[in-house]
Amino acid sequence: MEFRVLQYFLAVAREQSLSGAAESLHLSQPTLSRQLKDLEDELGKQLFTRSNKGIALTEEGMILRKRAEEIVQLMKKTEDEIALADEAVSGDVYIGAGESDVNRLLGQAAFQLRESYPDICFHLSSGNAVFVLEQLDRGLIDFGLIYGPVDHTKYESISMPCPDTFGVLMRRDSELADREYITPEDLLDKPLIVSAQERQNGWPTLSAVSKDVSRLNITATYTLLYNGSLLVAEGLGYAVCFDRLINTQGTNLCFRPLRPVLEVRASMIWKKYQILSKPAQRFLQKMRELCGV
């Protein structure tokens, strides 16, 4: 049983699709299918069931996945230890992230890493969770920063140490600007500008404002808060958003936190069983150090 074929097997188990696994592995689908058939023949067991809905593991396949994960993790740990030897490291690290002050941690890791390896270049793509996951699944980025639950059947993750706090961005001459903080009741009759991802995820933040979100006056949605802040500045409404994203100094805007406090924590994720480049390995190690894991 070859280690390489175990990685192929785990990729198919993760993607639940031959075509998806073949794309992530940069193999042709017939080649991957033949490798899996040879593995089943070698073990004398059927590892997958195939249907119109995709590919599912048999009982024997689930046993192999558990053992294969242990083997791959051990091999990966060994490779990482060897890769940490002092040698010239150069290349690119690709990261996808939404708007959050926690991105400063990515910047700290990048800065510290370039002090030791000045030939590493970092590429940061901005977008919501749908964008980040799509880029990650297509192999276009090494790491993604997302909010919400992590699918641990597909991704490894590190939880970011500092949570983001929700509040309301508004004009300084607005009715609520003189408040120290904003309560859900304050927003019930106000025009609201919210993240488009909020709608896609079933309004998790607005549900803390009102049990019946349909009664709220949602006037606009945004993908990037900078654009949302322009709508606020023109008087369209109050933007529900994270703190520390818009510099309100010298503008007609101000930010007030929500009470009760509403916080969320981001996770940095990467695909399971993915073979990371040496620059990406160094970046992951540095992020682990900064996050205390």
Side-chain angles (χ1 to χ4, degrees):
M1 187 184 306
E2 296 183 36
F3 177 69
R4 169 179 52 83
V5 178
L6 283 182
Q7 291 179 300
Y8 295 169
F9 165 78
L10 289 172
V12 175
R14 178 191 67 218
E15 301 290 344
Q16 298 181 330
S17 160
L18 272 177
S19 60
E23 182 178 354
S24 69
L25 293 167
H26 306 292
L27 293 174
S28 70
Q29 190 169 326
T31 298
L32 179 58
S33 181
R34 185 172 60 254
Q35 294 282 354
L36 294 178
K37 182 63 169 60
D38 290 345
L39 178 60
E40 289 181 320
D41 291 344
E42 180 182 352
L43 296 174
K45 297 290 184 181
Q46 183 179 353
L47 302 175
F48 299 98
T49 59
R50 298 161 176 83
S51 68
N52 293 334
K53 295 182 179 179
I55 291 180
L57 290 174
T58 63
E59 183 177 350
E60 292 80 5
M62 287 187 282
I63 293 172
L64 179 60
R65 180 175 66 181
K66 182 176 185 300
R67 295 306 181 194
E69 287 175 342
E70 294 171 355
I71 293 169
V72 169
Q73 287 172 2
L74 180 59
M75 286 293 292
K76 185 67 173 66
K77 185 173 185 296
T78 304
E79 290 173 352
D80 288 348
E81 290 173 350
I82 294 172
L84 290 178
D86 290 331
E87 58 183 45
V89 176
S90 63
D92 301 294
V93 178
Y94 295 88
I95 307 165
E99 292 183 298
S100 168
D101 191 66
V102 78
N103 290 341
R104 292 180 184 274
L105 201 61
L106 304 179
Q108 292 172 24
F111 174 77
Q112 293 179 24
L113 204 57
R114 274 185 57 87
E115 288 191 312
S116 300
Y117 306 103
D119 292 327
I120 295 180
C121 184
F122 296 88
H123 308 272
L124 184 61
S125 302
S126 298
N128 60 18
V130 173
F131 167 83
V132 170
L133 291 174
E134 179 181 297
Q135 295 284 297
L136 194 60
D137 289 341
R138 292 175 60 190
L140 300 178
I141 57 176
D142 300 304
F143 305 100
L145 201 70
I146 66 167
Y147 290 86
V150 175
D151 183 355
H152 290 288
T153 65
K154 295 181 66 175
Y155 309 110
E156 302 284 359
S157 68
I158 298 174
S159 179
M160 296 295 100
C162 301
D164 284 286
T165 303
F166 276 100
V168 182
L169 186 70
M170 65 190 78
R171 287 171 57 115
R172 294 184 186 275
D173 59 359
S174 66
E175 180 183 343
L176 302 179
D178 61 346
R179 309 286 178 90
E180 182 179 351
Y181 55 83
I182 305 300
T183 67
E185 291 75 18
D186 294 330
L187 298 176
L188 292 178
D189 62 343
K190 298 296 184 293
L192 301 181
I193 302 170
V194 300
S195 167
Q197 186 174 324
E198 181 79 8
R199 171 184 291 175
Q200 296 165 353
N201 292 343
W203 309 111
T205 308
L206 292 189
S207 295
V209 175
S210 173
K211 293 181 179 180
D212 185 1
V213 175
S214 65
R215 296 181 59 188
L216 296 176
N217 180 17
I218 299 172
T219 61
T221 65
Y222 61 85
T223 301
L224 298 176
L225 182 57
Y226 174 75
N227 292 331
S229 72
L230 299 180
L231 301 181
V232 175
E234 295 304 318
L236 189 61
Y238 297 76
V240 180
C241 58
F242 288 155
D243 194 4
R244 303 190 301 272
L245 286 185
I246 299 297
N247 183 3
T248 60
Q249 186 173 1
T251 73
N252 68 334
L253 302 178
C254 61
F255 179 91
R256 299 292 181 263
L258 283 172
R259 291 291 186 277
V261 174
L262 182 58
E263 295 179 334
V264 292
R265 196 177 294 268
S267 297
M268 189 181 84
I269 64 173
W270 62 99
K271 292 179 77 171
K272 270 192 169 185
Y273 323 120
Q274 179 176 344
I275 300 175
L276 295 172
S277 67
K278 287 186 178 179
Q281 290 178 35
R282 296 300 199 287
F283 179 75
L284 178 56
Q285 182 199 24
K286 180 60 65 175
M287 285 298 295
R288 289 187 188 277
E289 291 174 5
L290 293 177
C291 294
V293 297

